[in-house]
Amino acid sequence: GAVVSQHPSWVICKSGTSVKIECRSLDFQATTMFWYRQFPKQSLMLMATSNEGSKATYEQGVEKDKFLINHASLTLSTLTVTSAHPEDSSFYICSARDTGGDKAFFGQGTRLTVV
Amino acid sequence: KQEVTQIPAALSVPEGENLVLNCSFTDSAIYNLQWFRQDPGKGLTSLLLIQSSQREQTSGRLNASLDKSSGRSTLYIAASQPGDSATYLCAVPTGVGTYKYIFGTGTRLKVLA
């Protein structure tokens, strides 16, 4: 089956620094990828839609200048959390829509802890 | 605005029991519904996807049903096993032709050996 790989799987960073998370579709092309955030004991909330070759679209309440998204190729989207603060600590999951199919596949997630 | 709710929030059962997880959605104009499994600290594994034209889907010990008119879906797990312990999420697309999902609140299942 289709595989979406996220890297890193976990990261600890100091408050004020920036962290980049990668989302790769390993065996299919994805013109569209999605980034979700999951706080402890809560469900996933969509943050933004990443479009290859164009700007990402953000959900209401998500700061685009804080969560920078780049989708430079058909297999890679990156989410950069800029000037991270402890309240940004969360589980970030991406999904990628198989351009040639009718499903979206999810990555294994990245646990971000800001100290 | 679509809202997705799951009941119960948590469930603990002895091994071997058959069980039902419930998912409710407020806007019946969905074009599919998907059930996922999430293990602690991990991503999502898709279990079953039901198109709006379907009433149920089956995969092994799992059976998912969909009743759009009442805004409900159920996930039936037969002969539960400790390996089934996980959080189960249902999700519906935010609109026609989109792969953005609204997720339910999840049911945390623990199957005791």
Side-chain angles (χ1 to χ4, degrees), chain A residues 6 21 23 34-38 44-45 47 79 91-95 105-110, chain B residues 38 42-44:
Chain A
Q6 270 186 252
I21 303 170
C23 178
F34 306 93
W35 288 95
Y36 294 83
R37 180 168 52 185
Q38 184 178 35
L44 283 77
M45 296 294 291
M47 297 175 65
L79 169 68
F91 193 58
Y92 293 86
I93 302 179
C94 71
S95 73
F105 301 93
F106 286 79
Q108 289 299 296
T110 297
Chain B
Q38 184 177 28
K42 299 288 181 64
L44 304 182

Side-chain angles (χ1 to χ4, degrees), chain A residues 1-112:
Chain A
V3 177
V4 175
S5 174
Q6 270 186 252
H7 179 80
S9 56
W10 61 270
V11 58
I12 301 173
C13 71
K14 290 185 177 181
S15 186
T17 62
S18 295
V19 174
K20 180 185 285 188
I21 303 170
E22 293 185 348
C23 178
R24 293 181 184 271
S25 56
L26 297 188
D27 48 4
F28 64 96
Q29 294 185 333
T31 54
T32 306
M33 295 185 177
F34 306 93
W35 288 95
Y36 294 83
R37 180 168 52 185
Q38 184 178 35
F39 290 109
K41 296 189 178 181
Q42 295 188 26
S43 195
L44 283 77
M45 296 294 291
L46 179 67
M47 297 175 65
T49 301
S50 172
N51 304 296
E52 186 268 335
S54 64
K55 290 182 178 181
T57 55
Y58 292 80
E59 297 300 304
Q60 191 172 12
V62 178
E63 300 174 59
K64 63 180 180 180
D65 294 330
K66 181 169 185 61
F67 299 100
L68 301 179
I69 292 173
N70 184 276
H71 193 152
S73 77
L74 288 173
T75 59
L76 174 65
S77 175
T78 60
L79 169 68
T80 301
V81 183
T82 63
S83 187
H85 291 285
E87 57 265 31
D88 298 323
S89 298
S90 185
F91 193 58
Y92 293 86
I93 302 179
C94 71
S95 73
R97 186 221 160 167
D98 181 355
T99 303
D102 64 351
K103 280 191 175 181
F105 301 93
F106 286 79
Q108 289 299 296
T110 297
R111 171 75 60 194
L112 170 63

